[in-house]
Amino acid sequence: MDQSLRPRKSLGQNFLVDDNIARKILRAAEILPDDVVLEIGPGKGALTKHLVGKAKHVVAVELDKRAANLLRQKFEKECAGGLLEIKEQDFLEFDLMKTAKRVGQGLRVVGNIPYYITSPILLKAIAQREAIQDLLILVQLEVGKRIVAEPNTKDYGILSVFCQFYATPKLLFKVPASAFFPRPKVVSALLRLDFPQKPVRDVLDEKLFVEVVRATFGKRRKTLRNSLQYLGLDGLDLSSLDFNLQLRPEQLALEDFVCLSNLIAKQVHASHNPKA
Ligand code: SAM
């Protein structure tokens, strides 16, 4: 039956074929009987088959029609019994908030995802974090290292700051290329992101915080002063900002980015409301 599902590179299809690794991922997920799991890209069901026995309900979002059909056959009983729903859809367009509201609880998101859309998946999860309890995905090891990286390292960048600001990321263990078919050219790792219920740090203007991180890491080699002058913000006077703008973005810890963006926010808002 699986012959009908030749892996498509264009869909990032590297199927997990090592069941010991699948079990190890499931152990790390610590799924409880009351959990609702959203699986990204179930493929031929290597993880799905373990998830359906553990969670109260699984929503599996798969873009490939062939895989979705295969899963409907493989898990006919579970689908009929309401344990599993197969959504033939692009995860990047899937409404997590609507699903979380419908099931009345935060989702545990799990997946061996197509690596070429790792960043869009993370950014989507961050944007819809209110719907998510945690996220457990396989990523390319190099990308995982960037996500958990500390300041003053070459791996530290936009992904590190955003993932660490909105969630608590952890790299759990490596997965060798031999666990997949076809074998990817890279080593993988299991990444966990825990989303707190409320933002952990006080940012005065979240949009501005995002702009400051993007603008400064966009010109990584330049000083903060050099990159921030292109922000184009009315009322921003860099010379009177109480912050060392000779630094480069990779030298700033998360708290420093929060502090910098708050100082800019105060200045810009004060210039728009001079009497306030
Ligand atoms: N989970 C399966 C496994 O572990 O064997 C398949 C993993 S494979 C790396 C990625 C899966 O994501 C494929 O089944 C692919 O068709 C699916 N996929 C690719 N792009 C997708 C998207 N935008 N939304 C949902 N699924 C997608």
Side-chain angles (χ1 to χ4, degrees), residues 5 8-17 22 25 39-48 60-68 71 87-94 110-117 121 138 179-181:
L5 230 181
R8 284 197 180 145
K9 213 175 163 183
S10 61
L11 286 168
Q13 291 181 336
N14 296 92
F15 298 114
L16 188 61
V17 289
I25 293 171
E39 188 186 356
I40 309 171
K44 296 197 269 187
L47 295 175
T48 326
V61 184
E62 172 57 62
L63 184 59
D64 186 351
K65 191 186 182 63
R66 303 167 311 154
L71 291 169
K87 301 275 190 191
E88 197 178 309
Q89 234 174 299
D90 181 345
F91 172 75
L92 296 177
E93 284 168 17
F94 189 81
V110 174
N112 172 19
I113 62 167
Y115 289 170
Y116 70 98
I117 50 169
I121 286 176
L138 283 170
F180 305 93
F181 180 81

Side-chain angles (χ1 to χ4, degrees), residues 75-247:
F75 298 103
E76 198 181 350
K77 253 198 349 235
E78 289 80 358
C79 289
L83 277 179
L84 175 65
E85 269 173 87
I86 316 247
K87 301 275 190 191
E88 197 178 309
Q89 234 174 299
D90 181 345
F91 172 75
L92 296 177
E93 284 168 17
F94 189 81
D95 193 337
L96 295 169
M97 303 291 241
K98 207 164 127 192
T99 303
K101 266 195 199 135
R102 174 168 62 86
V103 299
Q105 64 192 82
L107 307 170
R108 314 261 340 253
V109 181
V110 174
N112 172 19
I113 62 167
Y115 289 170
Y116 70 98
I117 50 169
T118 302
S119 290
I121 286 176
L122 287 168
L123 294 177
K124 182 190 173 78
I126 286 172
Q128 301 205 355
R129 61 193 177 279
E130 278 172 52
I132 302 178
Q133 205 177 317
D134 58 5
L135 175 89
L136 195 79
I137 54 172
L138 283 170
V139 294
Q140 192 180 328
L141 177 62
E142 297 310 313
V143 175
K145 282 185 184 164
R146 276 161 45 201
I147 290 166
V148 299
E150 310 229 331
N152 295 306
T153 63
K154 71 170 176 30
D155 286 332
Y156 189 62
I158 293 183
L159 264 189
S160 340
V161 174
F162 287 153
C163 288
Q164 294 174 28
F165 179 73
Y166 290 106
T168 308
K170 263 193 205 130
L171 267 190
L172 299 184
F173 54 83
K174 287 188 207 170
V175 178
S178 57
F180 305 93
F181 180 81
R183 267 179 186 231
K185 291 196 174 74
V186 295
V187 174
S188 301
L190 189 66
L191 171 78
R192 177 181 187 127
L193 250 66
D194 283 304
F195 288 94
Q197 294 305 304
K198 287 189 183 148
V200 270
R201 291 170 186 87
D202 293 329
V203 157
L204 293 176
D205 182 335
E206 198 175 316
K207 199 165 151 257
L208 187 65
F209 167 77
V210 171
E211 272 178 52
V212 167
V213 176
R214 280 191 195 283
T216 52
F217 274 115
K219 296 191 171 66
R220 195 182 169 93
R221 299 271 151 252
K222 310 243 170 176
T223 62
L224 299 173
R225 181 181 304 283
N226 205 312
S227 333
L228 289 174
Q229 66 185 343
Y230 298 109
L231 264 185
L233 288 175
D234 258 5
L236 176 60
D237 174 15
L238 290 177
S239 59
S240 66
L241 216 58
D242 185 17
F243 200 95
N244 180 0
L245 298 178
Q246 287 310 108
L247 296 173

